[in-house]
Amino acid sequence: MSNSDMTRLSVGDRVIDTEDDDPDVGIVIARPPEQTIEDWEFSTSDGPMTTADTNPEYPADTQLVIISFRSELNGYWEGWQNVEPDELFNGVEDNGVHRYGFPEPRLAPADENESETNTAAELTEQKAKPPDKFTPVIERLEQNDFSVAYNADAQELLVEKYGVEHTIDHDGTVQGESGIKGRIETIVNRFL
């Protein structure tokens, strides 16, 4: 294994890809101590490749880190946030969440506080008084730990949970892609 001056990542850490201009937050689901980027093989349209093949700027013996993106975890595995770190890899496999192998130096800890603060600031900027018909929907969503704001310009509710955003149009149509969309639709259909 190559030894470099980097932060050693642990299973459960929130990380970003330092080579992505607009990175999604990933969760470390495995850091197999005996595996390198040359060991992680995956299928492509051109045939099998390794993480070393797609990251030629890193030595082939660089430590392998396996992640799943938070948006995919939210979409395919409800309640993943409540499991112990050592259960993440098996849970990802059991729920069909995609896994990605990365060279460890390419990943950096995600600044969770900054992204949460930005989301809260964006929601506050867009706050205005929604129509009364949305009141029971908003109350139920907030009881279920969703962040809710009203965008008066678009006449829609902005709904966010686990970093995944959805909108509810003025007619009750839910826009967005994830496993929690169904939960939002159930609430909207019940109260709107």
Side-chain angles (χ1 to χ4, degrees):
M1 298 279 158
S2 60
N3 295 325
S4 60
D5 300 331
M6 63 175 168
T7 304
R8 181 183 161 137
L9 299 171
S10 300
V11 174
D13 285 354
R14 270 69 174 151
V15 295
I16 57 168
D17 178 0
T18 59
E19 296 180 12
D20 188 335
D21 292 336
D22 186 22
D24 290 334
V25 174
I27 310 300
V28 176
I29 60 166
R31 186 187 183 277
E34 301 302 319
Q35 287 192 340
T36 68
I37 60 174
E38 195 169 42
D39 299 322
W40 185 257
E41 191 173 273
F42 55 94
S43 298
T44 71
S45 58
D46 296 328
M49 296 188 84
T50 67
T51 299
D53 294 332
T54 57
N55 291 275
E57 62 278 16
Y58 295 92
D61 66 347
T62 300
Q63 173 65 51
L64 172 71
V65 172
I66 303 169
I67 73 166
S68 287
F69 289 104
R70 183 169 62 186
S71 58
E72 292 182 14
L73 284 161
N74 290 336
Y76 291 95
W77 182 9
E78 189 171 330
W80 68 269
Q81 305 87 342
N82 302 322
V83 303
E84 294 297 318
D86 61 353
E87 298 172 13
L88 282 171
F89 188 84
N90 288 338
V92 161
E93 281 192 331
D94 293 345
N95 288 280
V97 182
H98 200 81
R99 298 160 299 186
Y100 302 87
F102 277 85
E104 187 168 38
R106 183 170 163 175
L107 299 172
D111 186 351
E112 288 294 302
N113 292 335
E114 182 179 311
S115 64
E116 288 171 11
T117 302
N118 288 344
T119 301
E122 289 167 7
L123 292 175
T124 302
E125 281 175 19
Q126 296 165 338
K127 266 201 170 167
K129 182 159 174 42
D132 290 338
K133 69 178 184 177
F134 279 130
T135 302
V137 174
I138 294 169
E139 288 173 358
R140 183 51 64 107
L141 287 168
E142 288 177 340
Q143 288 170 0
N144 284 272
D145 298 321
F146 286 91
S147 297
V148 183
Y150 181 66
N151 181 337
D153 293 336
Q155 296 183 343
E156 64 188 10
L157 290 178
L158 306 172
V159 181
E160 187 268 333
K161 187 173 183 177
Y162 307 130
V164 179
E165 296 179 1
H166 291 79
T167 59
I168 303 172
D169 296 340
H170 67 281
D171 64 357
T173 304
V174 179
Q175 304 289 332
E177 298 291 329
S178 84
I180 59 175
K181 179 180 179 182
R183 179 72 184 130
I184 298 169
E185 288 174 329
T186 300
I187 292 170
V188 169
N189 292 337
R190 182 171 178 197
F191 294 96
L192 192 59

